[in-house]
Amino acid sequence: MGLLTALDGGYGDRADALVVDGTALSREQLLGAAGAVAERAAGAPGLAVLARPTAETVAAVVGGLLAGVPVVPVPPDSGPLERAHILRDSGATLLAGTGLPEDADGLTPLPVSLADRPGGGWRPAAEDGDRTALVLYTSGTTGAPKGALLPHRALAAGLDALADAWRWDADDTLVHGLPLFHVHGLVLGVLGALRTGSRLVHTGRPTPAGYAAARGSLYFGVPTVWSRIAAETAAARELAAARLLVSGSAPLPVPVFERLRDLTGQAPAERYGMTETLITVATRADGERRPGAVGVPVAGVRTRLVGEDGQPVPSDGESVGELQVQGPTLFDGYLGRPGATAAARTADGWFRTGDVAVIGPDGFHRIVGRASVDLIKSGGYRIGAGEVEAALRDHPGVADAAVVGVPDPDLGQAVVAYVVVADGGSGGSVGSGGSGGVGGSGGSVGERELIDFVARRLSVHKRPRRVVLVDDLPRNAMGKVLKKQLLDEGR
């Protein structure tokens, strides 16, 4: 089956090889339902899939891949304008899934039934590693979402590299409850199981109770999921039998890292990637797991840091630069956007991630954040927002924090921290000259204490100049903080 080698039958089968939100399927049943989709989708320019967390979604995606048709996952909560853009821009002519909207934006509906089977003459499309497997749309933070073209060969290379890094094989049971329209939930969390032969349990929603009940050996989650699990002691302890807990899509707060380690007996493994690159850097199952670090490049991938002047940045564990990536997991470009595709690559063929990072002498990577919002230039210094956020989260009175650079007539940019107080607290703003308090688990915390707390851990110039108390931080579906929204509010 090319990419999905577990469907060849070489790993055996069982009635619950895949369980998605309570619906159990054998691989043979999945192959039958997917084959029926493939038979109807063959020859289409694109198959859009309304990616609800259901077994029918898995069958539709697998069917498109077997037919050799580009699959376009559509977020189920997308509004009509976003959905219309994705469907129009992708060129898809079919829309598969369950509970399809009455207005399918001019596409032909392709209902999916797990009981369907293909005709006797159906065969999967011939293998072609260069063929587009998925068109995944980026978040669109700088304009309309762009469709990233991911070929079969990139998916195969990425999954094989992670199988090596995480010792992931057919003896595992993978558990997660992540969305099926992103790399984390769909590529790693579904296609990964169908390539390695591991059993898959998708919990529908990523609840602590669902994760605890699944009895997996390998778990995937985003920081929001792990934070909720860490807050429920009994659920977290049920994960102690697992061999690997993987966190990604956003930085995992150090207190959550440490609590998971205490409750489960093992530290979580963080990793890094993008829609355009898949997962390129990961903590290895047999390697050190450091809080705030995402590990080392996976097999076949190379990374480097580059300064704003285009010159190399040393891997000394201190110097910050833009992270650039090269390797077999990279996408083929943005659909219909040659200019954006060219701009994303350097003259010598490296992909510009737009993320800023620090690499240690031992190759361990630490992601500071996005260059556009997380590289703060203040008073002639270059400050990584992630470093300041990690320092703030170390304070017992701080539950979470996000740091941005706000325009300042004197400094160029001033470091401003948005803080969620532990154990409640009221929203508001405190400046560096006042004596307002922050209620938290450590008692009443003055704003000067927070600023000095950071200054003692980092350099003085990295301290926040202003602290804004908020009840929560705005996040997208994958748990990433929407810093542009904070910037708009903070100007």
Side-chain angles (χ1 to χ4, degrees), residues 357-403:
V358 173
I359 302 177
D362 58 0
F364 254 74
H365 289 51
R366 182 162 50 85
I367 306 301
V368 175
R370 294 296 291 172
S372 57
V373 293
D374 291 318
L375 182 58
I376 302 169
K377 301 170 186 176
S378 182
Y381 293 100
R382 291 158 53 88
I383 302 168
E387 191 175 21
V388 183
E389 291 162 356
L392 283 165
R393 293 189 192 108
D394 282 343
H395 194 287
V398 174
D400 204 356
V403 169

Side-chain angles (χ1 to χ4, degrees), residues 308-444:
E308 290 177 300
D309 57 1
Q311 296 302 307
V313 171
S315 298
D316 56 11
E318 295 291 339
S319 301
V320 175
E322 183 197 22
L323 182 64
Q324 297 182 356
V325 175
Q326 191 177 70
T329 67
L330 266 62
F331 76 142
D332 280 344
Y334 297 111
L335 178 63
R337 290 172 168 80
T341 300
R345 293 194 172 101
T346 64
D348 55 349
W350 291 68
F351 177 75
R352 307 175 192 270
T353 68
D355 286 325
V356 287
V358 173
I359 302 177
D362 58 0
F364 254 74
H365 289 51
R366 182 162 50 85
I367 306 301
V368 175
R370 294 296 291 172
S372 57
V373 293
D374 291 318
L375 182 58
I376 302 169
K377 301 170 186 176
S378 182
Y381 293 100
R382 291 158 53 88
I383 302 168
E387 191 175 21
V388 183
E389 291 162 356
L392 283 165
R393 293 189 192 108
D394 282 343
H395 194 287
V398 174
D400 204 356
V403 169
V404 296
V406 172
D408 182 269
D410 178 45
L411 298 170
Q413 287 181 304
V415 178
V416 176
Y418 289 79
V419 171
V420 179
V421 177
D423 298 331
S426 58
S429 175
V430 290
S432 59
S435 58
V438 179
S441 59
S444 179

Side-chain angles (χ1 to χ4, degrees), residues 236-251:
R237 285 180 173 156
E238 288 295 328
L239 273 56
R243 65 173 190 82
L244 192 63
L245 312 178
V246 178
S247 182
S249 299

Side-chain angles (χ1 to χ4, degrees), residues 120-133:
W122 173 80
R123 293 291 183 274
E127 295 180 23
D128 182 356
D130 292 333
R131 180 185 290 129
T132 298

